[in-house]
Amino acid sequence: MVFSPPVRLWLLPNAMLLAVLTLWGIVRYPHLPSRIPQHIGVDGVDAWTDRSIGSAFVLVFVYVGVTVLLTACAELTLRVTPQAELPEEAAPFGHGLTRPSLNRPRTRASALRTARALLVLNACTGASLLIGSGVLWRSTADQEVPGWMFPAMLLPLLAGTALTVVAAVRDRRTPVK
């Protein structure tokens, strides 16, 4: 799949985060204890697993999956015909649907805004997983987790989600011309 120029440009921070996350994991892997955190609960690490490539790099694999999904969504958002460019009559599959009920961007500008918001959300997800990797890749099997870790992981996700919602709301308020 060849990405459109806006997606390529906004995908760079995500690619850099993925590279940093992967390289950090590769450097840390030989120094990990034989048992590493599998789950972190309210009281710290509450489940452990044996060290393996799969268990140590689970957050990297999750980020790759999220990156593929959100990049595809951003690219498809840019490729769909906006409502403003649709002919006045409804498409054959859309009998009974009014233009405002169609689930597509209103304009090319709103499609670009939405695609960028999705890629920013992806970068925020990468930042959150980078913070989580700090606990996963510790060189000691310590049950304690710093109290600031949960808010620090949640904050980028909330910021990215808020930007995506703002882009969607702004799109819905944009009149179709």
Side-chain angles (χ1 to χ4, degrees):
M1 172 185 260
V2 177
F3 299 118
S4 56
V7 170
R8 277 187 291 223
L9 177 66
W10 284 77
L11 193 57
L12 284 176
N14 298 298
M16 288 175 30
L17 270 168
L18 182 58
V20 166
L21 193 59
T22 303
L23 289 173
W24 185 26
I26 290 170
V27 168
R28 292 295 310 141
Y29 186 77
H31 307 288
L32 295 179
S34 61
R35 299 194 44 83
I36 60 174
Q38 180 179 21
H39 184 265
I40 301 169
V42 178
D43 296 327
V45 178
D46 56 12
W48 300 86
T49 188
D50 292 331
R51 179 183 74 173
S52 69
I53 298 290
S55 62
F57 286 86
V58 68
L59 295 180
V60 175
F61 299 145
V62 166
Y63 188 49
V64 168
V66 170
T67 300
V68 168
L69 179 67
L70 289 179
T71 302
C73 288
E75 184 66 30
L76 292 173
T77 299
L78 292 172
R79 290 182 184 217
V80 73
T81 304
Q83 286 182 23
E85 296 175 17
L86 289 176
E88 287 302 317
E89 65 278 351
F93 62 84
H95 290 296
L97 290 177
T98 60
R99 288 183 95 189
S101 68
L102 295 174
N103 190 11
R104 59 181 59 232
R106 302 272 172 121
T107 64
R108 289 268 171 217
S110 64
L112 183 59
R113 232 182 346 266
T114 302
R116 286 178 179 164
L118 287 170
L119 294 173
V120 168
L121 173 60
N122 189 57
C124 291
T125 302
S128 179
L129 294 176
L130 194 62
I131 295 167
S133 295
V135 171
L136 182 65
W137 294 335
R138 294 185 293 192
S139 51
T140 60
D142 187 11
Q143 182 178 350
E144 294 297 317
V145 176
W148 55 264
M149 193 195 87
F150 181 72
M153 285 184 72
L154 193 58
L155 190 61
L157 292 173
L158 291 175
T161 302
L163 287 171
T164 306
V165 169
V166 166
V169 168
R170 186 173 176 192
D171 178 50
R172 290 291 152 210
R173 291 188 177 158
T174 303
V176 179
K177 297 175 184 176

